[in-house]
Amino acid sequence: MSLSSVVGQLRDGMTIGVGGWGPRRKPMALIREILRSDLKDLTVVAYGGPEIGMLCAAGKVKKLMYGFVSLDAIPIEPYFRKAREAGTVEVNELDEGLLLIGLQAAAHRLPFLPTRVGLGSDVLTYNPEFRTVRSPYDDGETLLAMPAIRLDVALIHVSRADRLGNTQTDGPDPYFDGLFARAAERSFVTTEMLVDRLDLAHSDTAKTNLFERCFVSGVTLAPGGAHPTAAHDAYGWDSAHLRAYAASAAEPDGWSRYYQDYVAPGEAGYLDRIGGASHIRSLPLPVF
Amino acid sequence: MTTAKEFTLAELIIAAAAEAWRGEGEVLATGIGVLPRIAASLAKLTFAPQLMMTDGEAYLVEEPVPLGPRGDYKPKFAGWMPYGRVFDNVWSGRRHAMVTPVQVDRWGQANISCLGDFRKPKVQMLGMRGFPGNSVNHRNSMFLPAHSKRAFIEGEVDVVASVGYSDKRFPEGARRAGGDLGIIVTDLCVMDFKGPDHAARVLSLHPGVTFDQAQAATGFPLLAPASKHITAAPTEEQITVIRKLDPHDLRAGVIKGNPPGARP
């Protein structure tokens, strides 16, 4: 599938989950394709990084569900901050773990899962639709009934994939990509490398398969497609690019300039402007 | 053990913050930010070797990883600890984190979400992150680099991200499963919320700081220590360990002006 044919299957008002975590392994090539489209009124669910800020800046977002939105070394996503402070997006601000539990409930086809997470905090104040439930056992404990977070679509970036929809993801942390895939009606995957059959080409790394191909509706080859976020173990995030992107938020026409420079020219133009595939491949992961 | 002759306020704070983990046993010690991370590592390398710790990314280490560029040093991994397992550990209660909120109130509730009205914040910050789940499930200590009435506020925090001891916030029948506040270390003192009815009390004042100074910088009443308690200076041994853990002296950039530990 091409990026545009994936985005062609998305509709206004959909709930879209995005895999990865902060500036790590975000399907940015797909996000840029959404930025170029006329999609609108999206609900976006994520452990948020630059994809959230960009989708907000481009006016694509009706509602966000997140535990945080961060560029890590740049703690606060600048365009997310702008959107919040302008009050232009609705939000379900959650504990990071509640996001996990909500996706888990959806993945298991349950209406909710019980948890103590969120009790005693303003998670309940600002998510007034959340209900509590009483343990049916002798303890009678009151728990939060975290509602299932059902996704229309999940967008995920992986290291390798085959034409059947099998995927493998390198790196030290799987994050919650598998949960996003299972919580969604359909998942679309971009990949650094595409082969005919992973079992024939890469069976030695089969343990890095995070979710079954029954959850994968389409695979798109997009080498470097996580840039400017990291795609372990292939490349780190592009700190200089993220700093320039963050700085643009302080300028009145910052977003339109960023859009014109990097998004409008298409993916081939994008690669050109950031210094080519070799630049992406040379990006080290930052050390903390 | 000889007390160090010269030490910075950051080093005093690190030694004081390490005490958060004394006697905690085999829990995951997570120090978030430069001083808490050095403090947790110092605790593990000196009096609390049983603490569990990660490389800050996805692996368990038995040798705490020094901060910043590592040169030839390669971390050695004892186990795998991706975010999914961190949540499992949080909900099992076997963790003690030290975090840096922006606001703390008299009930020990803390905020890193946003300032002002949540629906249209004056200043958007990090979001709730893991504060609600952490604080209801395991012990948390705090480090605040600038003790002031803007940090320790008079009323309730703008957004309750970390739960505290305000009963009205919990629905009937709810229970905190071991979530509890450890110590609060600031640039002025060490406090906790273990006074009568969880009142805030000063455990020790940093050298040269008076109780009145600490009280004047706090938006709610503090209980004074029963006798004159001064935060212990780091020992020479502790300073040696701190230098190894922080070879690039990142600790010098945390407190404005990197002042000495003993105020004139």
Side-chain angles (χ1 to χ4, degrees), chain B residues 53-156:
Chain B
M53 193 166 283
T54 74
D55 66 336
E57 201 65 39
Y59 293 102
L60 286 161
V61 293
E62 293 299 342
E63 232 173 61
V65 177
L67 277 67
R70 287 166 200 156
D72 294 337
Y73 180 82
K74 281 206 170 36
K76 292 180 277 296
F77 303 139
W80 191 39
M81 202 73 189
Y83 285 116
R85 271 173 71 167
V86 172
F87 285 120
D88 288 338
N89 236 74
V90 165
W91 299 332
S92 80
R94 291 166 194 269
R95 187 183 191 222
H96 182 160
M98 181 178 281
V99 296
T100 294
V102 175
Q103 292 180 322
V104 178
D105 65 26
R106 69 183 63 206
W107 299 278
Q109 302 177 130
N111 177 21
I112 45 157
S113 169
C114 65
L115 296 176
D117 178 5
F118 180 83
R119 289 164 191 91
K120 194 172 181 299
K122 208 182 304 164
V123 182
Q124 175 64 38
M125 302 182 301
L126 290 174
M128 302 266 188
R129 292 231 61 153
F131 275 30
N134 295 351
S135 55
V136 84
N137 279 299
H138 62 67
R139 185 168 296 131
N140 289 277
S141 288
M142 297 175 184
F143 160 63
L144 284 95
H147 194 136
S148 74
K149 284 187 169 171
R150 287 166 55 130
F152 294 96
I153 63 170
E154 198 178 332
E156 195 172 35

Side-chain angles (χ1 to χ4, degrees), chain A:
Chain A
M1 289 182 90
S2 65
L3 295 172
S4 60
S5 63
V6 173
V7 173
Q9 301 208 26
L10 309 182
R11 296 287 169 262
D12 292 350
M14 271 189 168
T15 297
I16 296 181
V18 185
W21 175 283
R24 297 165 171 86
R25 216 164 60 231
K26 290 290 176 178
M28 295 305 293
L30 268 175
I31 298 297
R32 284 186 289 271
E33 196 63 26
I34 293 176
L35 298 175
R36 290 176 206 116
S37 75
D38 51 14
L39 276 174
K40 60 180 192 303
D41 294 332
L42 302 176
T43 291
V44 184
V45 181
Y47 292 101
E51 84 284 16
I52 294 274
M54 291 183 190
L55 290 167
C56 285
K60 302 292 181 194
V61 178
K62 177 165 186 266
K63 184 172 169 184
L64 294 173
M65 298 184 78
Y66 60 90
F68 64 84
V69 183
S70 175
L71 305 177
D72 202 308
I74 303 165
I76 296 162
E77 215 298 337
Y79 285 101
F80 161 72
R81 167 173 260 179
K82 273 186 119 161
R84 281 285 285 138
E85 292 175 4
T88 52
V89 291
E90 294 171 38
V91 298
N92 283 129
E93 185 167 298
L94 305 171
D95 175 276
E96 292 167 13
L98 275 185
L99 188 50
L100 185 170
I101 293 166
L103 292 170
Q104 188 95 68
H108 293 179
R109 300 182 295 169
L110 293 168
F112 69 90
L113 278 170
T115 177
R116 296 188 183 103
V117 176
L119 296 177
S121 79
D122 270 329
V123 163
L124 273 72
T125 315
Y126 297 119
N127 297 282
E129 70 278 22
F130 286 7
R131 299 283 175 265
T132 56
V133 65
R134 236 183 117 126
S135 164
Y137 296 100
D138 289 347
D139 55 85
E141 183 175 345
T142 300
L143 297 158
L144 173 61
M146 177 60 204
I149 301 173
R150 295 186 190 84
L151 307 174
D152 294 311
V153 167
L155 307 178
I156 293 162
H157 186 75
V158 302
S159 305
R160 284 176 293 286
D162 68 17
R163 293 177 191 285
L164 303 171
N166 292 299
T167 61
Q168 297 183 351
T169 302
D170 297 340
D173 202 315
Y175 308 125
F176 300 94
D177 288 1
L179 264 187
F180 277 92
R182 289 164 209 275
E185 286 285 323
R186 291 183 298 162
S187 300
F188 295 101
V189 167
T190 52
T191 181
E192 292 288 328
M193 178 199 289
L194 182 64
V195 297
D196 279 335
R197 290 267 300 267
L198 277 179
D199 60 330
L200 303 180
H202 293 279
S203 63
D204 54 326
T205 43
K207 267 183 86 175
T208 64
N209 170 275
L210 303 179
F211 43 92
E212 299 74 46
R213 64 177 157 75
C214 62
F215 296 104
V216 177
S217 296
V219 176
T220 305
L221 177 65
H227 185 275
T229 72
H232 320 73
D233 303 322
Y235 48 88
W237 65 69
D238 193 334
S239 304
H241 186 95
L242 289 173
R243 275 199 304 275
Y245 161 74
S248 76
E251 327 230 320
D253 62 342
W255 172 250
S256 62
R257 272 199 302 107
Y258 184 88
Y259 184 91
Q260 286 310 323
D261 287 352
Y262 295 108
V263 184
E267 283 305 290
Y270 180 80
L271 208 61
D272 233 33
R273 275 160 179 77
I274 58 149
S278 60
H279 168 69
I280 297 182
R281 298 280 153 197
S282 72
L283 290 165
L285 268 172
V287 172
F288 292 105

